[in-house]
Amino acid sequence: AFPEERHRTWRAVPVAQTLAFPLAACWAVELWRLNRVRRAKDPYAGRANVVARAAEGFFAKALRENERDRVHGTAWYLLGAFISLCLYPCDVAALSVCALAFCDPAASLVGRSGLFRAARFNRRFANGKSVLGFVACFLVGVLTTWLLFRPVTGVFTVDDADASASFVILFGVVVGVVVAVVEFLGSKTFVDDNALIPVLVGAVAWPARGALLGWE
């Protein structure tokens, strides 16, 4: 979309600006919804209680049970993508958002799959995460990094870059470890991992990319 820009130094702020309105709208709806949920549980809310109960009934059909009393993951997803696009160079921001888009679902899919759930070596932890989910998240992180930065044919390959495939793989390992750890520990924090993953992956990937693949 922006062929004249150097992706290793340019920040995709114009792209972030297109997310500003849906981000604000999504958070406004979420804050209104959570306020309705609180009012629906208040027996002294009067007429407002009727509206609140109607709103709660509507959203209850659209949300999973564990999301009804907290900010929905989509709002955190948009926030994390917006912050990454503003803070990091284009290639790092794209990698961060892709890590969220592919690694987090991979961990959930493998971790919850009945095929792997009963595996003897698939230990489950107190936070509901699993060993195989962690491994899947890591491997998808490595693969995603490779597809974006691989020599010659990668999306963000620079023609004059002298980085070999081994450096790209090492960079992928760094990204894979970070995204897997953040996904594993994300449930223990107030901020949803949909926001933590792109922001923290970008914070580590930027200097790692500079050291291994070059700054420009």
Side-chain angles (χ1 to χ4, degrees):
F2 300 92
E4 303 300 323
E5 305 295 346
R6 292 183 62 86
H7 293 151
R8 294 196 176 188
T9 56
W10 177 66
R11 283 173 173 75
V13 175
V15 181
Q17 290 174 341
T18 64
L19 290 179
F21 177 75
L23 172 64
C26 186
W27 273 89
V29 170
E30 279 299 283
L31 293 177
W32 178 85
R33 179 183 67 83
L34 292 175
N35 185 54
R36 297 302 98 182
V37 170
R38 181 182 61 79
R39 284 179 174 271
K41 297 177 180 179
D42 182 2
Y44 304 103
R47 293 181 178 179
N49 185 270
V50 177
V51 177
R53 288 186 181 278
E56 183 186 28
F58 172 79
F59 285 107
K61 298 177 181 179
L63 299 175
R64 290 180 293 184
E65 185 174 354
N66 64 344
E67 293 180 324
R68 293 175 186 174
D69 295 326
R70 61 188 179 91
V71 177
H72 187 260
T74 302
W76 291 111
Y77 194 113
L78 289 173
L79 180 62
F82 180 83
I83 293 174
S84 297
L85 289 167
C86 291
L87 288 183
Y88 307 128
C90 176
D91 60 339
V92 173
L95 173 61
S96 302
V97 175
C98 285
L100 172 60
F102 301 125
C103 300
D104 191 32
S108 298
L109 180 64
V110 173
R112 297 175 183 177
S113 173
L115 180 63
F116 302 105
R117 196 178 184 90
R120 296 179 61 183
F121 52 86
N122 189 23
R123 178 186 175 188
R124 303 195 72 82
F125 301 94
N127 62 356
K129 307 294 184 177
S130 67
V131 171
L132 287 183
F134 182 92
V135 173
C137 189
F138 166 77
L139 292 177
V140 173
V142 175
L143 178 61
T144 300
T145 306
W146 172 258
L147 292 176
L148 291 177
F149 291 89
R150 66 188 185 277
V152 183
T153 58
V155 177
F156 296 114
T157 298
V158 178
D159 293 337
D160 58 357
D162 58 358
S164 65
S166 60
F167 283 112
V168 178
I169 294 174
L170 180 57
F171 179 43
V173 170
V174 172
V175 172
V177 168
V178 174
V179 68
V181 170
V182 175
E183 196 279 333
F184 180 81
L185 298 176
S187 59
K188 296 184 178 181
T189 64
F190 168 74
V191 180
D192 192 90
D193 60 2
N194 282 341
L196 287 176
I197 287 176
V199 173
L200 296 183
V201 167
V204 176
W206 189 6
R209 189 264 284 150
L212 294 171
L213 307 180
W215 292 98
E216 297 184 356

